[in-house]
Amino acid sequence: MKRDGSVRYGMAVDTRSCVGCSACVLACKSENDVPDGHARRWVNQIVSGTFPELKMSIWSDSCQHCDDAPCVSNCPTGSSHVDSASGTVQVDRSRCTGCKACMVSCPYNARFVHPDGFVDKCTLCLHRLEQGRSTACAEVCPASAIVVGDLNDPASRVSRMLRLRKWRQQKTAAGTNPKFFLVD
Amino acid sequence: MPDSAATAAAKPSENAGDSDSIATVCEMCFWKCGIKAQLRDGRVQALSGNPDHPLSRGRLCPRGVGGLGSLYDPDRLSQPMIRVGERGGQKWRPATWEEALDRTAEGLRGVAAHYGPEAIALFYHGAGGSFFKTLVKGLGSANIAAPSYAQCRGPRDVGFELTYGESVGSPEVVDMANARAMALIGTHLGENMHNTAVQDFTDGLRRGMRLIVADPRYSVAAGKADYWLPVRPGTDIALLLGWANVIIQNDWYDREYVASNSVGFDQFAAEVARYTPDAVYLETGIKPQVLVDTARELAQAAPHAVIHPGRKTTWYGDDAQRSRAVALVNALLGNWGQPGGFYLSSSAGLKGHPQQPPAPAHRAPADREAGQFPFAGSTLASGLREATLTGKPYPLKAWMVYSSNLPMVLPDPRRTRAAIQKLDFLVAIDILPAEITGWADVVLPECTYLERHDDLIAPWYREPYVALRQPVIEPLGESKPGWWMAKELARRLGLESHFPWEHPTDLHQARLLASGFSLEQYQSLKQRGVLRVDADPLYQPKDALYQFATPSGKIEFWSQQLADQGFDPVPVYRRPEQPGPGQFRLLTGRAPVHTFGRTTNNAMLLEQFPENEVWVNRRAAADLGLRSGDRVMLRNQDDVTTGPVKVKATERIRADCVYMVHGFGHQDRRLRRAYRNGGDDTAVTTRFKTDPLMGGTGMNLNFVSLEKQESGNEA
């Protein structure tokens, strides 16, 4: 991983491929020692229409690592911050008082209070990205539905995917500029 | 009992060596993916897919990741137990291994002496069963059955054997990644989670595969389909023969291929001519135009198009014939040995132990009368139960049950309980206190797949290989590996010669050396968990003549074998019995995070899928005054109930059926999370129809009514 501030990591989930199996959720919990009863990711399964005219959308969801993250601007201690080397949103546990201002301001409901008192959420497996590995969720996914990479690098898989296919972002009205894309 | 297996001190296995990662093979389901286990301070920290293993390719399903929840389940059986009081009374005393094995040997010896060794039956599921098969065969009994045949895949295998002379195997030889069109008949890929199958399925979707899903329920796969056909349950044969007819009438098949590779086509075409789109619509509810459009989709993509043969196919008792209909539509697509159809598999050709003695002569299995179920290719677990119950064709008096929870596996558990009461002796070998252990005279606690060796694994596949299951840590509590128990019993029964090895590692080496592998390759297998070997060609040229293993050497559209036995030589659709007013046909399936009842006590997996629900069509539910979250009892036509189960009122299912994920509603209190959590579909599966061709048990014949429970009433 380059550390000159030129890297901007993001995630794309292919809703056509995702089968909603939860392997990503479990792999994330295992990788990141997420405590029982909590999760940094979850699976959405939305069905619309009436029998037999139905539509389904499934995707693995998490923190959107917004460019204009309200969890960061609303954090009174500076614990929630954008990691300048990766563009990801991170929580500095030592500075977090567990006040929940970030949780209230997150439009994606992506955060929870860890039993040890700090607020926790997806780190985009920054510790793995720094070693040149992908996230635990992307690595495990049997449907290859999760793609993580540098949005600033036009040759990255995620950039190519977003160039070639139709994508959308969630809750754009919130104006947070998420770096999380649903590819249909 | 001591607290739990999980609290016992754990030592890392000798396989850990200097590395903190050990390659082995998963057994959270029966697909057997290669995994890597990460260790920290003697504890298994994480499980991931082994990148070298062709079934994982570095990826893993949720159960595989959640295997730790089974390894460290505090409810695991942790010591041998011997029953006190009456059978089924759920009272035991702890015993030493010495005593429990002596008692087991005595029980088996007594039955063999009194009734002959053939009165001993083995039920098993999973890789560890091989050692007990060797034991029971060595005793002189052929009454060895895995319910995965007669209660699951058997009809499918027979349908393909009768048509192509071979079955599609496991993993199925379906080339999904390269298919341009695929149809699923009730197969709920994604919810029925097998790692590589889902990889291939989604590869196909990404490459633009057209997808047709026939399912009374809007499954996850249906949600990805170009066509969802919400077919009336039990009418699949009409649908399939309708497709065949449309393809033939429109001349959408390859005449030359059919002429040179098959027999009986003209008779088949004449038989299926009556399955017109209009006639099929009346049975299936699928509009005539949709039948034609979907047939065209398949035919246009042929030979890179496939009807998936499915896996659990025990539905209506005519299942081998339905599977034959699947096989025959595939034959019209000309897809055998073609990309996007059925690929040609190969295997590592692994030989047995060179000093393995032949099993002694034995009596024919008791699972059927002479001449019954002439096309059964394997012993029928349900047939062994019937023999136990009726004493015909001869009585079975001892059951050895390895890792197969029969009361939640065989239809009509009342008959299972009655059969058990006829036994002189029942020994259960298991990891968890599943219901079957509650009926056992002796319970032998096995360690999990992460704590033991099993025999080598070398299936037929597109990329043939040999894989090794080896322990990651030492067994917790007093649990022991199955191989050790089988050998200890063999010693007590004078069958040492049937285990011509001291330790499974000796068995592995001997088998590899006998098969032309080297010791260096064995060392590499221990390191990497898998040895890859060269594959035969996956495909054949389109005009090549494949020698099929049928009597005619060709694909059999019309089957002389079936005609000779008095069965329909071409599949015939017969309307199944329909539910009455207020009744729903009970359909069952799977969730991706659970493997039957084996994982429903696993805390990690339960967090993702905490209980099963009964899916009810939203309008049908409203008519009954039911809303999502209400709890209902399911009562079937034999007045048997299960529940309470949470209602899921949904648009995603037809109004004439309800659906439940199988494996919940355990009744053994010792499974503290699974006990009475959700409903047990097997409890209300008291009706079943036995397939006359091969003895499979069709189980979608149970009709339930829904009775609302007062909220909070868990009594």
Side-chain angles (χ1 to χ4, degrees):
Chain A
M1 196 176 107
K2 288 188 286 184
R3 297 205 145 271
D4 57 4
S6 65
V7 176
R8 196 170 147 262
Y9 275 107
M11 174 176 280
V13 176
D14 179 351
T15 62
R16 177 121 170 97
S17 298
C18 176
V19 296
C21 74
S22 307
C24 52
V25 180
L26 280 148
C28 167
K29 292 194 64 163
S30 180
E31 173 76 21
N32 296 298
D33 288 327
V34 179
D36 292 347
H38 297 283
R40 292 180 178 184
R41 324 190 54 77
W42 60 95
V43 172
N44 291 318
Q45 192 176 116
I46 310 288
V47 176
S48 57
T50 51
F51 180 96
E53 300 299 325
L54 300 173
K55 274 197 181 329
M56 182 187 292
S57 189
I58 307 185
W59 71 97
S60 170
D61 211 345
S62 68
C63 166
Q64 318 273 300
H65 294 281
C66 307
D67 277 346
D68 300 312
C71 56
V72 172
S73 53
N74 286 318
C75 176
T77 68
S79 164
S80 273
H81 64 282
V82 174
D83 172 61
S84 58
S86 62
T88 59
V89 175
Q90 303 293 338
V91 177
D92 180 346
R93 292 180 178 187
S94 65
R95 300 177 72 166
C96 178
T97 59
C99 78
K100 305 186 188 174
C102 59
M103 291 174 62
V104 176
S105 55
C106 173
Y108 304 98
N109 200 16
R111 296 171 163 245
F112 62 90
V113 181
H114 192 284
D116 291 347
F118 53 86
V119 169
D120 198 17
K121 66 159 199 86
C122 164
T123 62
L124 214 69
C125 281
L126 190 57
H127 62 290
R128 292 171 62 109
L129 296 178
E130 283 168 345
Q131 299 165 2
R133 301 159 71 201
S134 190
T135 60
C137 56
E139 184 181 271
V140 77
C141 178
S144 300
I146 303 174
V147 178
V148 177
D150 180 6
L151 300 169
N152 283 348
D153 175 3
S156 71
R157 213 180 127 217
V158 68
S159 296
R160 275 182 289 136
M161 193 169 172
L162 295 175
R163 265 201 312 279
L164 294 171
R165 296 191 42 195
K166 213 176 81 181
W167 53 264
R168 59 194 160 100
Q169 291 162 307
Q170 301 180 76
K171 300 186 182 173
T172 46
T176 64
N177 287 319
K179 293 196 288 294
F180 188 106
F181 306 86
L182 295 179
V183 180
D184 294 311
Chain B
M1 279 173 63
D3 272 347
S4 72
T7 54
K11 289 175 290 183
S13 149
E14 60 186 34
N15 295 312
D18 297 329
S19 156
D20 61 348
S21 161
I22 296 172
T24 185
V25 176
C26 187
E27 182 116 330
M28 290 300 287
C29 80
F30 303 98
W31 199 254
K32 303 187 192 83
C33 295
I35 52 172
K36 289 200 157 179
Q38 298 290 331
L39 286 164
R40 195 192 297 164
D41 305 327
R43 247 181 105 83
V44 186
Q45 195 66 24
L47 301 166
S48 58
N50 181 352
D52 294 331
H53 195 286
L55 289 188
S56 346
R57 306 166 185 158
R59 301 181 181 274
L60 202 55
C61 87
R63 294 163 305 187
V65 178
L68 298 182
S70 294
L71 174 65
Y72 295 118
D73 189 330
D75 293 346
R76 271 180 59 176
L77 294 168
S78 65
Q79 62 186 138
M81 294 185 297
I82 291 176
R83 174 171 65 81
V84 291
E86 64 186 30
R87 180 176 289 147
Q90 309 271 346
K91 287 201 176 74
W92 293 272
R93 63 178 173 81
T96 63
W97 273 104
E98 197 66 21
E99 188 188 9
L101 290 164
D102 284 347
R103 176 66 76 88
T104 303
E106 184 189 307
L108 298 175
R109 206 185 291 114
V111 165
H114 205 261
Y115 303 96
E118 67 271 21
I120 297 168
L122 168 66
F123 298 86
Y124 73 98
H125 200 175
S130 65
F131 303 111
F132 295 95
K133 280 163 77 175
T134 301
L135 180 77
V136 171
K137 272 190 207 164
L139 277 166
S141 174
N143 289 311
I144 298 173
S148 50
Y149 189 76
Q151 279 66 55
C152 192
R153 284 158 25 204
R156 177 197 77 181
D157 293 348
V158 171
F160 273 75
E161 284 157 6
L162 285 166
T163 310
Y164 290 95
E166 60 187 285
S167 75
V168 295
S170 176
E172 291 80 12
V173 293
V174 185
D175 194 21
M176 285 189 278
N178 298 303
R180 293 183 194 161
M182 178 166 74
L184 304 177
I185 311 293
T187 300
H188 50 318
L189 292 172
E191 289 159 288
N192 188 18
M193 164 54 75
H194 292 108
N195 189 357
T196 339
V198 168
Q199 293 187 30
D200 292 349
F201 174 53
T202 54
D203 270 349
L205 289 174
R206 276 186 293 273
R207 289 174 189 170
M209 170 176 75
R210 302 285 283 174
L211 182 64
I212 300 155
V213 174
D215 197 319
R217 185 178 66 97
Y218 190 64
S219 61
V220 165
K224 301 188 178 300
D226 300 287
Y227 298 86
W228 173 41
L229 279 47
V231 63
R232 178 177 294 127
T235 64
D236 313 275
I237 294 180
L239 173 74
L240 289 157
L241 298 180
W243 274 339
N245 187 38
V246 169
I247 290 170
I248 293 167
Q249 295 298 324
N250 289 288
D251 213 5
W252 287 341
Y253 65 102
D254 185 338
R255 277 171 183 264
E256 208 167 306
Y257 178 86
V258 165
S260 50
N261 289 287
S262 73
V263 295
F265 175 77
D266 292 342
Q267 289 144 298
F268 174 76
E271 279 285 325
V272 302
R274 61 195 156 104
Y275 297 94
T276 61
D278 288 338
V280 168
Y281 168 66
L282 291 176
E283 292 305 314
T284 62
I286 303 306
K287 292 195 178 95
Q289 192 56 47
V290 174
L291 186 82
V292 175
D293 289 346
T294 48
R296 187 192 291 113
E297 289 271 3
L298 291 166
Q300 280 178 345
H304 315 296
V306 66
I307 319 281
H308 196 293
R311 212 165 153 88
K312 187 191 179 202
T313 41
T314 41
W315 300 347
Y316 298 98
D318 57 357
D319 305 301
Q321 289 282 17
R322 184 186 65 252
S323 297
R324 218 172 104 66
V326 168
L328 290 171
V329 180
N330 278 303
L332 288 174
L333 301 174
N335 60 13
W336 196 266
Q338 295 301 315
F342 296 106
Y343 67 79
L344 308 176
S345 60
S346 36
S347 86
L350 202 58
K351 294 185 169 60
H353 193 292
Q355 272 87 53
Q356 186 69 42
H362 56 75
R363 200 166 164 185
D367 63 335
R368 66 198 96 154
E369 302 282 352
Q372 215 182 359
F373 313 128
F375 298 104
S378 199
T379 306
L380 312 167
S382 35
L384 295 183
R385 180 185 69 180
E386 291 311 296
T388 309
L389 201 52
T390 62
K392 289 176 183 157
Y394 58 86
L396 299 175
K397 287 294 182 182
W399 283 9
M400 176 173 265
V401 186
Y402 174 83
S403 187
S404 181
N405 191 23
L406 298 178
M408 284 174 75
V409 167
L410 300 175
D412 199 353
R414 300 172 305 182
R415 291 184 82 76
T416 306
R417 292 193 289 268
I420 286 172
Q421 295 298 3
K422 301 259 183 184
L423 296 172
D424 287 357
F425 184 68
L426 198 171
V427 55
I429 300 123
D430 224 316
I431 292 164
L432 282 170
E435 282 71 8
I436 187 65
T437 68
W439 295 96
D441 303 312
V442 178
V443 178
L444 304 177
E446 197 185 24
C447 53
T448 69
Y449 64 101
L450 293 166
E451 304 153 275
R452 68 177 199 243
H453 283 99
D454 276 328
D455 203 350
L456 296 172
I457 297 159
W460 288 76
Y461 189 55
R462 62 190 305 148
E463 302 161 76
Y465 63 88
V466 181
L468 174 66
R469 174 171 292 140
Q470 56 185 341
V472 174
I473 57 168
E474 294 293 322
L476 300 177
E478 289 179 39
S479 65
K480 292 277 191 185
W483 68 263
W484 180 86
M485 295 179 220
K487 263 182 78 75
E488 284 293 316
L489 289 170
R491 188 166 61 76
R492 285 165 170 79
L493 294 164
L495 295 169
E496 294 96 327
S497 67
H498 290 269
F499 293 83
W501 40 271
E502 276 305 306
H503 190 269
T505 51
D506 306 324
L507 170 68
H508 301 153
Q509 284 184 51
R511 290 191 68 188
L512 286 168
L513 292 178
S515 313
F517 294 95
S518 67
L519 275 178
E520 289 70 32
Q521 284 175 302
Y522 170 63
Q523 292 304 331
S524 164
L525 174 61
K526 287 210 294 185
Q527 283 296 315
R528 304 173 73 92
V530 65
L531 270 181
R532 315 269 297 244
V533 299
D534 290 337
D536 296 334
L538 286 177
Y539 310 119
Q540 58 182 344
K542 183 78 180 77
D543 52 1
L545 285 182
Y546 187 87
Q547 187 60 39
F548 292 98
T550 53
S552 63
K554 293 177 187 284
I555 301 169
E556 303 204 335
F557 277 98
W558 193 90
S559 170
Q560 186 65 49
Q561 292 188 80
L562 285 170
D564 289 347
Q565 296 283 346
F567 298 119
D568 297 325
V570 168
V572 174
Y573 166 71
R574 292 181 180 86
R575 184 184 303 170
E577 192 191 342
Q578 296 298 312
Q583 291 181 328
F584 302 87
R585 187 185 300 277
L586 176 63
L587 303 177
T588 64
R590 301 187 64 180
V593 297
H594 287 294
T595 301
F596 324 135
R598 309 168 74 95
T599 57
T600 48
N601 202 61
N602 177 317
M604 287 174 73
L605 299 179
L606 278 174
E607 201 175 298
Q608 301 308 316
F609 192 99
E611 63 183 304
N612 63 351
E613 299 170 304
V614 57
W615 295 39
V616 188
N617 173 275
R618 191 181 54 80
R619 274 153 293 172
D623 288 347
L624 293 169
L626 294 173
R627 291 194 301 191
S628 284
D630 285 348
R631 291 195 177 263
V632 291
M633 295 298 289
L634 275 59
R635 183 182 300 277
N636 77 357
Q637 65 265 57
D638 290 329
D639 213 27
V640 176
T641 62
T642 191
V645 194
K646 209 191 256 185
V647 169
K648 175 187 172 110
T650 174
E651 298 288 343
R652 294 177 60 185
I653 191 164
R654 290 174 58 97
D656 54 3
C657 52
V658 294
Y659 170 83
M660 272 165 75
V661 167
H662 170 70
F664 285 83
H666 276 284
Q667 294 298 318
D668 196 308
R669 289 174 184 278
R670 297 169 298 171
L671 294 166
R672 283 174 287 180
R673 294 183 203 85
Y675 175 62
R676 303 193 71 175
N677 178 31
D680 172 17
D681 57 283
T682 311
V684 285
T685 302
T686 52
R687 299 279 175 103
F688 63 99
K689 196 182 248 179
T690 306
D691 192 319
L693 274 62
M694 49 65 68
T697 53
M699 296 180 272
N700 291 1
L701 303 163
N702 294 274
F703 305 139
V704 294
S705 55
L706 307 176
E707 299 171 1
K708 189 172 175 178
Q709 299 291 290
E710 294 309 314
S711 59
N713 178 4
E714 299 281 328

